[in-house]
Amino acid sequence: MNSSPSTPLSYKDAGVDIDAGDALVDRIKPLAKRTLREGVLAGIGGFGALFEVPKRYREPVLVSGTDGVGTKLKLAFEWNMHDTVGIDLVAMSVNDVLVQGAEPLFFLDYFACGKLEVDTAAAVIGGIARGCELSGCALIGGETAEMPGMYPAGEYDLAGFAVGAVEKSKILTGQDVRPGDVVLGLASSGVHSNGFSLVRKVIERAGSELPATLDGQPFREAVMMPTRLYVKPVLAALAKHPIKALAHITGGGLLENIPRVLPEGCAARLSKGSWPRTELFAWLQQVAGIDDIEMNRTFNNGIGMVVVIDPKEADACAATLQEAGEAVHRIGIIAERGDGAPVTVG
């Protein structure tokens, strides 16, 4: 029969530091407080967060989205750049919710690591809180999981969950899109958070021949520029103009995301050169040695959100978006599909 061990084992001996977790919660609470908005009944600290759908909605429909940051995190680890990936996390979900015409209401995050480093986690979650603040979305809960042996030292993973609301009568489905409608493109801030498996291969191929700057930013800052949050400008445009469809340009790029909001028989014909070519995307294409089709189905290639609208409303809608701070380009039209591809750039 085995004898009892002489020294008791604690959770900390097993690799989980409860005190570090408590310290992180204390750091997070004031960040989350800045994101509070109407509807929050109980946020961080409870077993579940409580949110009341604002009474101004008559027939509210809830819209949900979830995503992560992907292999962009590998560069965050390598370059010790943790303060903006949280913005990416929020943007990937709230921009998706937005394309249904919904206002993001609240957000929850999941942060998982092998060993909790409070300063790193606080930087990441600070970015999440900032993303929520910029999109008018309450950070009302989340989970920090310390799992020894699951992740290499210094690494972590992120997931995010957003819930929004839209009036049932105002849900954007794309079913009203017709040939002749105008396609507006809202500029991206960079690569956003898709295509980083290829970005990392390009950096590896370039070796020591990396540019010092791209688009006026130091190289690393240009590559890690967080995903643009389109929520407030687009909600302002939705309130004033009869937008027919929105498409968030994420994995699959322009070629695979725009068809998701087109009715059968319609195609988007985009005009090459109708939006600026950034140094970042030009460099990625040159080093990767890929053609335009591969660029447009891998990256956003400079356009992070697409708006489809009647041609009579296009200029006014573009003006509203510009007044809200967006760089807007008329990038194409909707046409009858025929036997062609659902999206072409030429």
Side-chain angles (χ1 to χ4, degrees), residues 232-233 236 240-241 315-328:
K232 291 185 177 180
K240 294 178 66 176
H241 308 287
D315 288 342
C317 183
T320 297
L321 289 163
Q322 287 166 344
E323 287 167 9
E326 295 301 319
V328 187

Side-chain angles (χ1 to χ4, degrees), residues 183 252-256 258-259 267-275 277 291-297 299-301 303 306 331-333 341-346:
V183 182
L254 292 162
L255 300 188
E256 295 188 11
I258 296 176
R269 304 299 179 219
L270 308 185
S271 301
K272 184 178 179 180
S274 58
W275 67 93
R277 176 77 159 156
D291 61 23
D292 289 347
I293 292 175
E294 189 68 12
M295 282 295 292
N296 284 319
R297 67 192 296 266
F299 300 115
N300 67 62
N301 219 4
I303 298 294
V306 160
I331 64 172
I333 62 167
V343 180
T344 57
V345 184

Side-chain angles (χ1 to χ4, degrees), residues 94-236:
V94 298
N95 286 343
D96 275 358
V97 165
L98 176 66
V99 302
Q100 312 296 312
E103 168 196 12
L105 298 175
F106 60 85
F107 188 85
L108 297 96
D109 70 277
Y110 177 79
F111 178 100
C113 59
K115 177 176 173 53
L116 182 60
E117 298 175 4
V118 175
D119 287 344
T120 297
V124 172
I125 297 171
I128 294 171
R130 180 61 177 155
C132 287
E133 195 174 355
L134 290 171
S135 54
C137 181
L139 176 60
I140 59 172
E143 170 69 6
T144 301
E146 189 175 21
M147 300 183 285
M150 286 288 289
Y151 297 90
E155 296 194 4
Y156 53 83
D157 199 10
L158 296 173
F161 313 87
V163 174
V166 60
E167 287 288 357
K168 191 172 184 179
S169 62
K170 295 183 178 179
I171 296 171
L172 292 184
T173 64
Q175 290 307 302
D176 293 333
V177 172
R178 296 289 182 269
D181 287 340
V182 168
V183 182
L184 301 175
L186 309 189
S188 67
S189 54
V191 182
H192 286 182
S193 192
N194 296 102
F196 269 86
S197 294
L198 180 55
V199 170
R200 289 166 49 237
K201 283 289 186 184
V202 169
I203 292 171
E204 182 181 307
R205 174 179 286 188
S208 61
E209 300 298 319
L210 297 174
T213 63
L214 287 170
D215 301 305
Q217 297 284 332
F219 175 76
R220 290 184 177 184
E221 281 76 2
V223 171
M224 294 295 288
M225 189 69 67
T227 306
R228 188 163 182 82
L229 290 152
Y230 297 101
V231 174
K232 291 185 177 180
V234 171
L235 286 177

